[in-house]
Amino acid sequence: MNDENEHKKITAEDEKAPGLAANYLLMGAGSMFTSMLIAGFIVGYFLDQIFDTTPIFFLSCAVLGFIGGIQQVHKLSKRLDYMAPKAEKETEDDKKSG
């Protein structure tokens, strides 16, 4: 009898959780942030080599890459917010029809 209640709790929690696509979206957010930061470091390094300055462009492009990475992660996390209410709506529709 306890096993049935635990099973019901697990399925109720699973219905509220975003689907498998959300996991891929979050993995993409991490790789997007990392790539933006590394790109900022690389561009800054080459600009320092071209203009013969030491850390100015390296640090400023790293900060810009960090800010750009944060913006991209925020943009992707907004998509996750839109995915969750849709899943909740589908479960409510299923309960009404069932």
mmCIF file of all heavy atoms in Angstrom, residues 46-90:
data_model
loop_
_atom_site.group_PDB
_atom_site.id
_atom_site.type_symbol
_atom_site.label_atom_id
_atom_site.label_comp_id
_atom_site.label_asym_id
_atom_site.label_seq_id
_atom_site.Cartn_x
_atom_site.Cartn_y
_atom_site.Cartn_z
ATOM 1 N N PHE A 46 44.285 38.333 -28.978
ATOM 2 C CA PHE A 46 44.767 38.717 -30.303
ATOM 3 C C PHE A 46 44.749 40.226 -30.505
ATOM 4 O O PHE A 46 45.630 40.768 -31.175
ATOM 5 C CB PHE A 46 43.984 37.992 -31.400
ATOM 6 C CG PHE A 46 44.390 36.556 -31.549
ATOM 7 C CD1 PHE A 46 43.503 35.533 -31.291
ATOM 8 C CD2 PHE A 46 45.683 36.224 -31.930
ATOM 9 C CE1 PHE A 46 43.884 34.209 -31.415
ATOM 10 C CE2 PHE A 46 46.083 34.902 -32.056
ATOM 11 C CZ PHE A 46 45.169 33.890 -31.797
ATOM 12 N N LEU A 47 43.779 40.914 -29.932
ATOM 13 C CA LEU A 47 43.796 42.376 -30.016
ATOM 14 C C LEU A 47 44.987 42.958 -29.265
ATOM 15 O O LEU A 47 45.592 43.945 -29.713
ATOM 16 C CB LEU A 47 42.481 42.955 -29.478
ATOM 17 C CG LEU A 47 41.259 42.791 -30.380
ATOM 18 C CD1 LEU A 47 40.008 43.303 -29.675
ATOM 19 C CD2 LEU A 47 41.455 43.520 -31.701
ATOM 20 N N ASP A 48 45.332 42.367 -28.138
ATOM 21 C CA ASP A 48 46.529 42.810 -27.412
ATOM 22 C C ASP A 48 47.797 42.568 -28.226
ATOM 23 O O ASP A 48 48.725 43.384 -28.193
ATOM 24 C CB ASP A 48 46.646 42.089 -26.064
ATOM 25 C CG ASP A 48 45.807 42.746 -24.984
ATOM 26 O OD1 ASP A 48 45.518 43.946 -25.095
ATOM 27 O OD2 ASP A 48 45.439 42.032 -24.022
ATOM 28 N N GLN A 49 47.847 41.466 -28.947
ATOM 29 C CA GLN A 49 49.015 41.185 -29.781
ATOM 30 C C GLN A 49 49.105 42.169 -30.946
ATOM 31 O O GLN A 49 50.187 42.629 -31.293
ATOM 32 C CB GLN A 49 48.954 39.751 -30.324
ATOM 33 C CG GLN A 49 49.065 38.694 -29.245
ATOM 34 C CD GLN A 49 50.395 38.745 -28.524
ATOM 35 O OE1 GLN A 49 51.433 38.915 -29.128
ATOM 36 N NE2 GLN A 49 50.341 38.607 -27.206
ATOM 37 N N ILE A 50 47.970 42.507 -31.539
ATOM 38 C CA ILE A 50 47.967 43.419 -32.689
ATOM 39 C C ILE A 50 48.361 44.829 -32.274
ATOM 40 O O ILE A 50 49.190 45.483 -32.920
ATOM 41 C CB ILE A 50 46.580 43.418 -33.364
ATOM 42 C CG1 ILE A 50 46.330 42.073 -34.048
ATOM 43 C CG2 ILE A 50 46.453 44.563 -34.366
ATOM 44 C CD1 ILE A 50 44.913 41.889 -34.549
ATOM 45 N N PHE A 51 47.771 45.340 -31.196
ATOM 46 C CA PHE A 51 48.006 46.721 -30.780
ATOM 47 C C PHE A 51 49.141 46.862 -29.763
ATOM 48 O O PHE A 51 49.397 47.973 -29.289
ATOM 49 C CB PHE A 51 46.715 47.328 -30.217
ATOM 50 C CG PHE A 51 45.634 47.448 -31.239
ATOM 51 C CD1 PHE A 51 44.468 46.709 -31.118
ATOM 52 C CD2 PHE A 51 45.776 48.288 -32.341
ATOM 53 C CE1 PHE A 51 43.463 46.815 -32.059
ATOM 54 C CE2 PHE A 51 44.777 48.402 -33.284
ATOM 55 C CZ PHE A 51 43.615 47.666 -33.154
ATOM 56 N N ASP A 52 49.801 45.772 -29.443
ATOM 57 C CA ASP A 52 50.943 45.767 -28.533
ATOM 58 C C ASP A 52 50.601 46.382 -27.173
ATOM 59 O O ASP A 52 51.334 47.206 -26.632
ATOM 60 C CB ASP A 52 52.144 46.485 -29.170
ATOM 61 C CG ASP A 52 53.443 46.138 -28.476
ATOM 62 O OD1 ASP A 52 53.534 45.021 -27.911
ATOM 63 O OD2 ASP A 52 54.359 46.989 -28.475
ATOM 64 N N THR A 53 49.464 45.993 -26.662
ATOM 65 C CA THR A 53 49.069 46.366 -25.301
ATOM 66 C C THR A 53 49.045 45.088 -24.487
ATOM 67 O O THR A 53 48.881 43.995 -25.024
ATOM 68 C CB THR A 53 47.674 47.019 -25.292
ATOM 69 O OG1 THR A 53 46.742 46.116 -25.869
ATOM 70 C CG2 THR A 53 47.669 48.320 -26.058
ATOM 71 N N THR A 54 49.215 45.211 -23.193
ATOM 72 C CA THR A 54 49.329 43.969 -22.423
ATOM 73 C C THR A 54 47.976 43.430 -21.958
ATOM 74 O O THR A 54 47.469 42.511 -22.564
ATOM 75 C CB THR A 54 50.297 44.156 -21.243
ATOM 76 O OG1 THR A 54 51.514 44.653 -21.756
ATOM 77 C CG2 THR A 54 50.554 42.855 -20.562
ATOM 78 N N PRO A 55 47.344 43.932 -20.914
ATOM 79 C CA PRO A 55 46.127 43.235 -20.481
ATOM 80 C C PRO A 55 44.825 43.965 -20.785
ATOM 81 O O PRO A 55 43.773 43.507 -20.386
ATOM 82 C CB PRO A 55 46.318 43.151 -18.974
ATOM 83 C CG PRO A 55 47.007 44.410 -18.630
ATOM 84 C CD PRO A 55 47.857 44.747 -19.825
ATOM 85 N N ILE A 56 44.894 45.091 -21.485
ATOM 86 C CA ILE A 56 43.699 45.931 -21.625
ATOM 87 C C ILE A 56 42.598 45.213 -22.403
ATOM 88 O O ILE A 56 41.485 45.044 -21.909
ATOM 89 C CB ILE A 56 44.057 47.268 -22.304
ATOM 90 C CG1 ILE A 56 44.997 48.064 -21.409
ATOM 91 C CG2 ILE A 56 42.800 48.082 -22.590
ATOM 92 C CD1 ILE A 56 45.600 49.267 -22.075
ATOM 93 N N PHE A 57 42.882 44.811 -23.622
ATOM 94 C CA PHE A 57 41.855 44.158 -24.439
ATOM 95 C C PHE A 57 41.531 42.753 -23.922
ATOM 96 O O PHE A 57 40.397 42.298 -24.016
ATOM 97 C CB PHE A 57 42.297 44.091 -25.907
ATOM 98 C CG PHE A 57 42.273 45.425 -26.580
ATOM 99 C CD1 PHE A 57 43.457 46.037 -26.960
ATOM 100 C CD2 PHE A 57 41.086 46.059 -26.841
ATOM 101 C CE1 PHE A 57 43.451 47.265 -27.587
ATOM 102 C CE2 PHE A 57 41.062 47.290 -27.460
ATOM 103 C CZ PHE A 57 42.250 47.900 -27.835
ATOM 104 N N PHE A 58 42.521 42.079 -23.389
ATOM 105 C CA PHE A 58 42.313 40.738 -22.846
ATOM 106 C C PHE A 58 41.258 40.773 -21.744
ATOM 107 O O PHE A 58 40.296 39.997 -21.756
ATOM 108 C CB PHE A 58 43.639 40.187 -22.320
ATOM 109 C CG PHE A 58 43.573 38.779 -21.815
ATOM 110 C CD1 PHE A 58 43.535 37.708 -22.688
ATOM 111 C CD2 PHE A 58 43.549 38.524 -20.455
ATOM 112 C CE1 PHE A 58 43.482 36.408 -22.219
ATOM 113 C CE2 PHE A 58 43.504 37.233 -19.978
ATOM 114 C CZ PHE A 58 43.463 36.171 -20.869
ATOM 115 N N LEU A 59 41.420 41.684 -20.804
ATOM 116 C CA LEU A 59 40.471 41.766 -19.697
ATOM 117 C C LEU A 59 39.129 42.339 -20.116
ATOM 118 O O LEU A 59 38.075 41.860 -19.691
ATOM 119 C CB LEU A 59 41.066 42.602 -18.560
ATOM 120 C CG LEU A 59 42.290 41.996 -17.871
ATOM 121 C CD1 LEU A 59 42.853 42.970 -16.850
ATOM 122 C CD2 LEU A 59 41.929 40.682 -17.224
ATOM 123 N N SER A 60 39.137 43.357 -20.964
ATOM 124 C CA SER A 60 37.868 43.971 -21.364
ATOM 125 C C SER A 60 37.033 43.017 -22.221
ATOM 126 O O SER A 60 35.807 42.931 -22.049
ATOM 127 C CB SER A 60 38.106 45.292 -22.092
ATOM 128 O OG SER A 60 38.857 45.077 -23.266
ATOM 129 N N CYS A 61 37.666 42.278 -23.109
ATOM 130 C CA CYS A 61 36.918 41.309 -23.916
ATOM 131 C C CYS A 61 36.458 40.117 -23.081
ATOM 132 O O CYS A 61 35.399 39.542 -23.342
ATOM 133 C CB CYS A 61 37.746 40.840 -25.098
ATOM 134 S SG CYS A 61 37.944 42.097 -26.368
ATOM 135 N N ALA A 62 37.226 39.775 -22.041
ATOM 136 C CA ALA A 62 36.793 38.711 -21.139
ATOM 137 C C ALA A 62 35.536 39.139 -20.382
ATOM 138 O O ALA A 62 34.603 38.346 -20.227
ATOM 139 C CB ALA A 62 37.915 38.365 -20.162
ATOM 140 N N VAL A 63 35.511 40.392 -19.947
ATOM 141 C CA VAL A 63 34.317 40.898 -19.254
ATOM 142 C C VAL A 63 33.129 40.942 -20.211
ATOM 143 O O VAL A 63 32.007 40.563 -19.848
ATOM 144 C CB VAL A 63 34.598 42.293 -18.637
ATOM 145 C CG1 VAL A 63 33.323 42.951 -18.163
ATOM 146 C CG2 VAL A 63 35.590 42.172 -17.502
ATOM 147 N N LEU A 64 33.368 41.377 -21.436
ATOM 148 C CA LEU A 64 32.282 41.402 -22.422
ATOM 149 C C LEU A 64 31.788 39.990 -22.750
ATOM 150 O O LEU A 64 30.591 39.766 -22.930
ATOM 151 C CB LEU A 64 32.737 42.112 -23.698
ATOM 152 C CG LEU A 64 32.941 43.621 -23.588
ATOM 153 C CD1 LEU A 64 33.484 44.169 -24.898
ATOM 154 C CD2 LEU A 64 31.639 44.302 -23.217
ATOM 155 N N GLY A 65 32.695 39.033 -22.825
ATOM 156 C CA GLY A 65 32.303 37.644 -23.046
ATOM 157 C C GLY A 65 31.492 37.098 -21.888
ATOM 158 O O GLY A 65 30.517 36.360 -22.074
ATOM 159 N N PHE A 66 31.873 37.465 -20.667
ATOM 160 C CA PHE A 66 31.123 37.054 -19.480
ATOM 161 C C PHE A 66 29.712 37.627 -19.509
ATOM 162 O O PHE A 66 28.734 36.914 -19.275
ATOM 163 C CB PHE A 66 31.870 37.516 -18.221
ATOM 164 C CG PHE A 66 31.197 37.127 -16.945
ATOM 165 C CD1 PHE A 66 31.309 35.841 -16.452
ATOM 166 C CD2 PHE A 66 30.447 38.047 -16.238
ATOM 167 C CE1 PHE A 66 30.692 35.481 -15.272
ATOM 168 C CE2 PHE A 66 29.822 37.704 -15.065
ATOM 169 C CZ PHE A 66 29.935 36.413 -14.573
ATOM 170 N N ILE A 67 29.606 38.915 -19.819
ATOM 171 C CA ILE A 67 28.290 39.562 -19.876
ATOM 172 C C ILE A 67 27.440 38.947 -20.990
ATOM 173 O O ILE A 67 26.251 38.673 -20.802
ATOM 174 C CB ILE A 67 28.446 41.085 -20.067
ATOM 175 C CG1 ILE A 67 29.057 41.701 -18.811
ATOM 176 C CG2 ILE A 67 27.112 41.745 -20.384
ATOM 177 C CD1 ILE A 67 29.486 43.142 -18.978
ATOM 178 N N GLY A 68 28.052 38.714 -22.148
ATOM 179 C CA GLY A 68 27.320 38.081 -23.247
ATOM 180 C C GLY A 68 26.870 36.672 -22.906
ATOM 181 O O GLY A 68 25.770 36.250 -23.268
ATOM 182 N N GLY A 69 27.716 35.934 -22.192
ATOM 183 C CA GLY A 69 27.348 34.587 -21.766
ATOM 184 C C GLY A 69 26.185 34.601 -20.803
ATOM 185 O O GLY A 69 25.268 33.770 -20.898
ATOM 186 N N ILE A 70 26.191 35.538 -19.869
ATOM 187 C CA ILE A 70 25.079 35.667 -18.917
ATOM 188 C C ILE A 70 23.790 35.998 -19.664
ATOM 189 O O ILE A 70 22.729 35.442 -19.366
ATOM 190 C CB ILE A 70 25.387 36.767 -17.880
ATOM 191 C CG1 ILE A 70 26.575 36.384 -17.036
ATOM 192 C CG2 ILE A 70 24.170 37.090 -17.033
ATOM 193 C CD1 ILE A 70 26.279 35.566 -15.820
ATOM 194 N N GLN A 71 23.875 36.886 -20.643
ATOM 195 C CA GLN A 71 22.677 37.244 -21.410
ATOM 196 C C GLN A 71 22.138 36.047 -22.187
ATOM 197 O O GLN A 71 20.928 35.842 -22.260
ATOM 198 C CB GLN A 71 22.991 38.389 -22.376
ATOM 199 C CG GLN A 71 23.150 39.720 -21.695
ATOM 200 C CD GLN A 71 23.485 40.822 -22.668
ATOM 201 O OE1 GLN A 71 23.954 40.571 -23.786
ATOM 202 N NE2 GLN A 71 23.254 42.056 -22.255
ATOM 203 N N GLN A 72 23.019 35.247 -22.762
ATOM 204 C CA GLN A 72 22.571 34.074 -23.516
ATOM 205 C C GLN A 72 21.929 33.044 -22.595
ATOM 206 O O GLN A 72 20.918 32.429 -22.948
ATOM 207 C CB GLN A 72 23.744 33.453 -24.275
ATOM 208 C CG GLN A 72 24.234 34.289 -25.429
ATOM 209 C CD GLN A 72 23.191 34.419 -26.522
ATOM 210 O OE1 GLN A 72 22.400 33.525 -26.759
ATOM 211 N NE2 GLN A 72 23.194 35.562 -27.167
ATOM 212 N N VAL A 73 22.500 32.838 -21.420
ATOM 213 C CA VAL A 73 21.920 31.895 -20.462
ATOM 214 C C VAL A 73 20.556 32.395 -20.006
ATOM 215 O O VAL A 73 19.602 31.616 -19.886
ATOM 216 C CB VAL A 73 22.862 31.682 -19.261
ATOM 217 C CG1 VAL A 73 22.186 30.929 -18.145
ATOM 218 C CG2 VAL A 73 24.104 30.940 -19.711
ATOM 219 N N HIS A 74 20.441 33.680 -19.770
ATOM 220 C CA HIS A 74 19.147 34.243 -19.381
ATOM 221 C C HIS A 74 18.113 34.059 -20.480
ATOM 222 O O HIS A 74 16.958 33.727 -20.218
ATOM 223 C CB HIS A 74 19.312 35.726 -19.035
ATOM 224 C CG HIS A 74 18.070 36.358 -18.506
ATOM 225 N ND1 HIS A 74 17.230 37.091 -19.298
ATOM 226 C CD2 HIS A 74 17.515 36.333 -17.264
ATOM 227 C CE1 HIS A 74 16.214 37.507 -18.572
ATOM 228 N NE2 HIS A 74 16.368 37.062 -17.335
ATOM 229 N N LYS A 75 18.529 34.262 -21.707
ATOM 230 C CA LYS A 75 17.636 34.090 -22.854
ATOM 231 C C LYS A 75 17.165 32.633 -22.968
ATOM 232 O O LYS A 75 15.984 32.370 -23.212
ATOM 233 C CB LYS A 75 18.383 34.511 -24.124
ATOM 234 C CG LYS A 75 17.588 34.499 -25.369
ATOM 235 C CD LYS A 75 18.465 34.995 -26.516
ATOM 236 C CE LYS A 75 17.825 34.851 -27.850
ATOM 237 N NZ LYS A 75 18.713 35.295 -28.923
ATOM 238 N N LEU A 76 18.077 31.685 -22.770
ATOM 239 C CA LEU A 76 17.704 30.278 -22.830
ATOM 240 C C LEU A 76 16.848 29.864 -21.640
ATOM 241 O O LEU A 76 15.955 29.030 -21.777
ATOM 242 C CB LEU A 76 18.955 29.403 -22.897
ATOM 243 C CG LEU A 76 19.710 29.418 -24.214
ATOM 244 C CD1 LEU A 76 20.990 28.608 -24.087
ATOM 245 C CD2 LEU A 76 18.860 28.882 -25.333
ATOM 246 N N SER A 77 17.102 30.445 -20.476
ATOM 247 C CA SER A 77 16.295 30.079 -19.307
ATOM 248 C C SER A 77 14.879 30.628 -19.408
ATOM 249 O O SER A 77 13.960 30.076 -18.804
ATOM 250 C CB SER A 77 16.965 30.548 -18.017
ATOM 251 O OG SER A 77 17.001 31.942 -17.963
ATOM 252 N N LYS A 78 14.680 31.682 -20.164
ATOM 253 C CA LYS A 78 13.315 32.159 -20.418
ATOM 254 C C LYS A 78 12.518 31.110 -21.186
ATOM 255 O O LYS A 78 11.336 30.934 -20.941
ATOM 256 C CB LYS A 78 13.341 33.454 -21.229
ATOM 257 C CG LYS A 78 13.575 34.691 -20.431
ATOM 258 C CD LYS A 78 13.430 35.889 -21.338
ATOM 259 C CE LYS A 78 13.683 37.179 -20.630
ATOM 260 N NZ LYS A 78 13.581 38.317 -21.540
ATOM 261 N N ARG A 79 13.165 30.428 -22.105
ATOM 262 C CA ARG A 79 12.495 29.353 -22.839
ATOM 263 C C ARG A 79 12.030 28.257 -21.902
ATOM 264 O O ARG A 79 10.978 27.679 -22.079
ATOM 265 C CB ARG A 79 13.429 28.741 -23.869
ATOM 266 C CG ARG A 79 13.654 29.547 -25.070
ATOM 267 C CD ARG A 79 14.621 28.796 -25.926
ATOM 268 N NE ARG A 79 14.497 29.124 -27.303
ATOM 269 C CZ ARG A 79 15.262 28.614 -28.246
ATOM 270 N NH1 ARG A 79 16.181 27.734 -27.909
ATOM 271 N NH2 ARG A 79 15.111 28.961 -29.490
ATOM 272 N N LEU A 80 12.833 27.964 -20.887
ATOM 273 C CA LEU A 80 12.474 26.946 -19.904
ATOM 274 C C LEU A 80 11.224 27.370 -19.139
ATOM 275 O O LEU A 80 10.368 26.544 -18.841
ATOM 276 C CB LEU A 80 13.634 26.708 -18.949
ATOM 277 C CG LEU A 80 13.468 25.607 -17.926
ATOM 278 C CD1 LEU A 80 13.304 24.270 -18.623
ATOM 279 C CD2 LEU A 80 14.651 25.567 -16.996
ATOM 280 N N ASP A 81 11.100 28.654 -18.826
ATOM 281 C CA ASP A 81 9.909 29.151 -18.139
ATOM 282 C C ASP A 81 8.665 28.987 -18.998
ATOM 283 O O ASP A 81 7.586 28.737 -18.490
ATOM 284 C CB ASP A 81 10.075 30.621 -17.765
ATOM 285 C CG ASP A 81 11.114 30.833 -16.689
ATOM 286 O OD1 ASP A 81 11.421 29.858 -15.978
ATOM 287 O OD2 ASP A 81 11.614 31.959 -16.562
ATOM 288 N N TYR A 82 8.810 29.125 -20.310
ATOM 289 C CA TYR A 82 7.660 28.967 -21.190
ATOM 290 C C TYR A 82 7.262 27.503 -21.363
ATOM 291 O O TYR A 82 6.136 27.192 -21.642
ATOM 292 C CB TYR A 82 7.939 29.568 -22.569
ATOM 293 C CG TYR A 82 8.049 31.065 -22.558
ATOM 294 C CD1 TYR A 82 9.115 31.701 -23.164
ATOM 295 C CD2 TYR A 82 7.099 31.846 -21.921
ATOM 296 C CE1 TYR A 82 9.226 33.080 -23.145
ATOM 297 C CE2 TYR A 82 7.204 33.216 -21.893
ATOM 298 C CZ TYR A 82 8.262 33.820 -22.514
ATOM 299 O OH TYR A 82 8.370 35.185 -22.489
ATOM 300 N N MET A 83 8.232 26.601 -21.187
ATOM 301 C CA MET A 83 7.945 25.183 -21.363
ATOM 302 C C MET A 83 7.151 24.618 -20.192
ATOM 303 O O MET A 83 6.296 23.778 -20.365
ATOM 304 C CB MET A 83 9.244 24.388 -21.522
ATOM 305 C CG MET A 83 9.964 24.676 -22.809
ATOM 306 S SD MET A 83 11.579 23.917 -22.851
ATOM 307 C CE MET A 83 11.146 22.199 -22.828
ATOM 308 N N ALA A 84 7.399 25.064 -18.977
ATOM 309 C CA ALA A 84 6.769 24.493 -17.790
ATOM 310 C C ALA A 84 5.258 24.724 -17.739
ATOM 311 O O ALA A 84 4.519 23.778 -17.506
ATOM 312 C CB ALA A 84 7.443 25.018 -16.541
ATOM 313 N N PRO A 85 4.720 25.934 -17.988
ATOM 314 C CA PRO A 85 3.268 26.101 -17.935
ATOM 315 C C PRO A 85 2.543 25.270 -18.988
ATOM 316 O O PRO A 85 1.439 24.809 -18.759
ATOM 317 C CB PRO A 85 3.063 27.590 -18.187
ATOM 318 C CG PRO A 85 4.337 28.222 -17.792
ATOM 319 C CD PRO A 85 5.399 27.212 -18.104
ATOM 320 N N LYS A 86 3.161 25.045 -20.119
ATOM 321 C CA LYS A 86 2.540 24.229 -21.151
ATOM 322 C C LYS A 86 2.346 22.800 -20.652
ATOM 323 O O LYS A 86 1.307 22.197 -20.864
ATOM 324 C CB LYS A 86 3.411 24.234 -22.413
ATOM 325 C CG LYS A 86 2.810 23.466 -23.557
ATOM 326 C CD LYS A 86 3.724 23.541 -24.767
ATOM 327 C CE LYS A 86 3.162 22.709 -25.891
ATOM 328 N NZ LYS A 86 4.048 22.660 -27.034
ATOM 329 N N ALA A 87 3.333 22.254 -19.970
ATOM 330 C CA ALA A 87 3.223 20.896 -19.434
ATOM 331 C C ALA A 87 2.141 20.839 -18.369
ATOM 332 O O ALA A 87 1.377 19.874 -18.297
ATOM 333 C CB ALA A 87 4.560 20.447 -18.864
ATOM 334 N N GLU A 88 2.027 21.875 -17.519
ATOM 335 C CA GLU A 88 0.991 21.900 -16.494
ATOM 336 C C GLU A 88 -0.386 21.992 -17.129
ATOM 337 O O GLU A 88 -1.327 21.374 -16.676
ATOM 338 C CB GLU A 88 1.226 23.080 -15.551
ATOM 339 C CG GLU A 88 2.434 22.902 -14.659
ATOM 340 C CD GLU A 88 2.722 24.128 -13.830
ATOM 341 O OE1 GLU A 88 1.905 25.079 -13.860
ATOM 342 O OE2 GLU A 88 3.756 24.136 -13.148
ATOM 343 N N LYS A 89 -0.509 22.764 -18.202
ATOM 344 C CA LYS A 89 -1.790 22.906 -18.877
ATOM 345 C C LYS A 89 -2.232 21.582 -19.484
ATOM 346 O O LYS A 89 -3.399 21.217 -19.426
ATOM 347 C CB LYS A 89 -1.701 23.985 -19.952
ATOM 348 C CG LYS A 89 -3.018 24.269 -20.629
ATOM 349 C CD LYS A 89 -2.881 25.369 -21.650
ATOM 350 C CE LYS A 89 -4.219 25.604 -22.338
ATOM 351 N NZ LYS A 89 -4.119 26.615 -23.374
ATOM 352 N N GLU A 90 -1.290 20.849 -20.069
ATOM 353 C CA GLU A 90 -1.630 19.555 -20.665
ATOM 354 C C GLU A 90 -2.121 18.576 -19.608
ATOM 355 O O GLU A 90 -3.054 17.832 -19.844
ATOM 356 C CB GLU A 90 -0.414 18.976 -21.388
ATOM 357 C CG GLU A 90 -0.059 19.716 -22.666
ATOM 358 C CD GLU A 90 1.215 19.199 -23.293
ATOM 359 O OE1 GLU A 90 1.840 18.285 -22.718
ATOM 360 O OE2 GLU A 90 1.591 19.715 -24.355
#
